[in-house]
């Protein structure tokens, strides 16, 4: 069997370039195409040259239909509206669609689940082994500790990030909520400003920092009277997420159509 063919959408983005490098340097996979949005300065540029891995003879295109028809998998770290459209195309082409995009709003999972009847979708707000392991630890800690322990999720990212809280912060908040058997949407406090009153017991709070070039730092703090437990992860390089996405594509290659998470890929779902 030949190498798994992988295309990168959002190819000129920060993650797009890291994804091209990761596919290029991983045995068993090869680059089949790159897509950017209409009007992007990157259209027509060489996929390898834009990512600094040398000339590949694959021009970046704004025609996902043709690219999806000639690939086995797509790596997608773009924006929610774009990823929704790509999921439909992935379903038509019956390929693997690895979605790292964050900033989703309520209800946007439904069309993805519909697409997953035909595509193999792996979606995660964080593709690193470390963060997915951390989520497991957070779930266990939250299950072991009662509501005397307040749960707060703190994150910091680079100044260009457009969504908050980060997809990873929400993934960790979700893990804490599962451990506590509560609904995150009902119990989360995403912003505090002005006279907020005292902290409501049993809620999960989020705090967001933005600045500089920080790739991604997350802490989950369990704070009780007189003691505090902190579980944290610091990402030092985007290649970590890109390598995770390639691993997800290889894993999804021979799976049945379905809606999977990175925990499934890493064997961390319990
Ligand atoms: P970025 O802005 O540098 O890149 C996004 C790219 O997508 C841009 O080049 C943009 O032109 C392209 N794009 C947007 N709409 C498109 C469309 N319709 N068709 C084709 N291309 C389109 O952003 P980034 O820092 O690379 O992050 C991208 C996404 O990945 C964000 O949602 C971010 O939060 C997420 N992210 C996820 C993980 C993870 O592990 N899951 C890690 C890092 C970043």
């Amino acid at each position: 069997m030949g190498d798994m063919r992988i295309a990168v959408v959002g190819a000129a983005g920060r993650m797009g370039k890291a994804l091209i490098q990761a596919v290029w340097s991983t045995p068993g996979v090869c680059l089949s195409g790159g897509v950017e949005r209409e009007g992007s300065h990157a259209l027509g540029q060489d996929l390898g040259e834009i990512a600094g891995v040398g000339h590949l003879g694959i021009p970046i295109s704004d025609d996902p239909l043709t690219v999806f028809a000639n690939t086995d998998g797509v790596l997608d770290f773009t924006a929610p509206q774009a990823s929704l459209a790509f999921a439909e195309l992935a379903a038509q082409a019956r390929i693997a669609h690895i979605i790292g995009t964050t900033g989703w709003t309520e209800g946007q999972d439904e069309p993805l689940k519909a697409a997953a009847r035909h595509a193999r979708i792996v979606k995660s707000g964080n593709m690193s082994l470390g963060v997915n392991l951390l989520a497991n630890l957070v779930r266990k800690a939250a299950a072991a500790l009662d509501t005397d322990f307040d749960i707060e999720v703190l994150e910091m990212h680079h100044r260009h990030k457009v969504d908050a809280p980060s997809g990873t912060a929400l993934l960790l908040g979700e893990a804490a909520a599962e451990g506590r058997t509560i609904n995150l949407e009902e119990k989360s406090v995403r912003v505090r400003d002005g006279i907020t009153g005292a902290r409501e017991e049993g809620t999960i709070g989020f705090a967001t920092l933005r600045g500089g070039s920080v790739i991604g730092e997350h802490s989950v703090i369990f704070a009780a009277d007189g003691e505090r437990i902190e579980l944290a992860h610091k990402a030092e390089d985007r290649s970590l997420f890109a390598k995770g996405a390639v691993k997800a594509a290889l894993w999804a290659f021979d799976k049945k159509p379905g809606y999977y998470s990175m925990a499934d890929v890493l064997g961390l779902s319990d």
Side-chain angles (χ1 to χ4, degrees):
M1 198 173 62
D3 285 352
M4 179 179 184
R5 297 169 302 165
I6 297 188
V8 175
V9 293
R14 277 176 291 272
M15 276 306 301
K17 289 175 190 156
L19 292 164
I20 296 165
Q21 289 162 4
V23 177
W24 183 78
S25 60
T26 305
V29 292
C30 64
L31 284 157
S32 58
V35 174
E36 257 298 336
R37 64 184 157 72
E38 270 176 45
S40 163
H41 65 89
L43 292 177
Q45 287 188 41
D46 186 77
L47 194 62
E49 281 172 8
I50 204 166
V53 300
H55 189 79
L56 294 173
I58 305 173
I60 295 177
S61 119
D62 60 359
D63 173 18
L65 200 61
T66 305
V67 170
F68 281 44
N70 293 290
T71 192
D72 302 309
V74 169
L75 308 182
D76 174 359
F77 287 56
T78 56
Q81 284 307 331
S83 295
L84 285 173
F86 290 140
E88 269 187 42
L89 295 180
Q92 282 167 27
R94 297 177 190 267
I95 56 176
H97 184 195
I98 313 305
I99 307 176
T101 304
T102 64
W104 299 92
T105 50
E106 222 186 313
Q108 287 186 315
D109 260 9
E110 292 313 315
L112 292 180
K113 284 181 185 153
R117 287 202 287 270
H118 301 293
R120 281 149 279 145
I121 294 184
V122 180
K123 174 170 170 276
S124 176
N126 195 299
M127 298 273 173
S128 82
L129 169 64
V131 161
N132 284 280
L133 180 64
L134 180 69
N136 241 20
L137 299 175
V138 166
R139 188 177 305 113
K140 291 196 172 106
L145 301 168
D146 62 23
T147 54
D148 285 350
F149 283 81
D150 300 321
I151 304 178
E152 295 279 309
V153 183
L154 173 65
E155 57 115 334
M156 180 160 189
H157 279 86
H158 55 87
R159 62 166 74 95
H160 303 289
K161 186 161 178 63
V162 295
D163 54 311
S166 71
T168 305
L170 293 170
L171 181 152
L172 294 170
E174 192 58 59
E178 276 172 28
R180 242 183 204 175
T181 58
I182 56 171
N183 181 329
L184 182 65
E185 268 161 39
E186 286 166 12
K187 288 291 183 183
S188 69
V189 178
R190 288 181 170 223
V191 196
R192 295 189 182 100
D193 186 27
I195 311 294
T196 59
R199 192 182 196 288
E200 189 189 325
E201 192 178 320
T203 51
I204 297 178
F206 290 85
T208 301
L209 307 179
R210 291 286 175 265
S213 57
V214 177
I215 306 273
E217 301 195 356
H218 295 85
S219 312
V220 181
I221 303 161
F222 297 86
D225 286 338
E227 63 177 335
R228 210 157 69 229
I229 302 162
E230 297 191 10
L231 298 174
H233 180 268
K234 293 180 170 61
E236 292 173 358
D237 196 317
R238 280 189 181 86
S239 65
L240 160 96
F241 310 125
K243 284 179 188 154
V246 175
K247 191 178 186 137
L250 279 165
W251 177 88
F253 188 52
D254 61 359
K255 296 291 173 297
K256 291 196 190 108
Y259 194 55
Y260 302 102
S261 74
M262 209 51 201
D264 296 318
V265 174
L266 297 168
L268 292 170
S269 338
D270 33 41

